[in-house]
Amino acid sequence: VQLQASGGGLVQTGGSLRLSCAPSTVTFSTSTMAWFRQAPGEEREFVAATRFTPGSPYYAGSVKGRFTISGDNAKRTLYLQMNSLKPEDTAVYYCALHRGTLILSALYTSGAYEHWGQGTQVTVSS
């Protein structure tokens, strides 16, 4: 499975970006997909995830209320709508995929995902 992530860029504080991730060969309805991010010198951290069945989204506390994860089954594309961006959101954002439905406790763990995109840079200026 190849994951192609796009949509990063430079934006001012308070601005918005939408990231996209398109897996090459997978059925959304049987997958768990997530976004993680990694800032320079930091560990990779969980941002958001969705289990397409039953379709529940999960968010890190730092982005809840500002970011929205969604998927378009027809386009086979995962999105991360990021609003009210802050300088601390600056990082390389990665999409990740697990074939199957992860249990809740595993959703937040990068090691649970076996497929990763190449990352897209998001920079928020103050």
Side-chain angles (χ1 to χ4, degrees):
V1 178
Q2 293 184 339
L3 303 176
Q4 185 68 37
S6 61
L10 173 63
V11 65
Q12 291 185 332
T13 297
S16 299
L17 284 173
R18 188 176 77 160
L19 306 183
S20 301
C21 177
S24 58
T25 55
V26 72
T27 302
F28 267 16
S29 62
T30 59
S31 302
T32 302
M33 294 193 71
W35 292 96
F36 287 77
R37 66 186 182 187
Q38 188 167 19
E42 303 285 338
E43 297 285 325
R44 189 169 297 189
E45 66 171 359
F46 171 82
V47 176
T50 184
R51 300 184 295 184
F52 289 100
T53 302
S56 303
Y58 301 87
Y59 299 96
S62 59
V63 306
K64 198 168 186 178
R66 300 188 297 123
F67 291 11
T68 302
I69 187 171
S70 63
D72 185 324
N73 218 356
K75 296 182 179 179
R76 299 204 322 185
T77 302
L78 178 75
Y79 300 103
L80 183 69
Q81 178 66 44
M82 305 186 294
N83 299 328
S84 302
L85 283 162
K86 305 175 181 179
E88 51 263 44
D89 294 318
T90 295
V92 177
Y93 283 69
Y94 298 89
C95 62
L97 181 145
H98 168 78
R99 287 180 177 270
T101 301
L102 284 173
I103 60 173
L104 186 57
S105 60
L107 278 176
Y108 308 92
T109 306
S110 60
Y113 299 85
E114 59 269 25
H115 303 287
W116 291 82
Q118 81 286 4
T120 184
Q121 176 70 47
V122 171
T123 303
V124 184
S125 63
S126 56

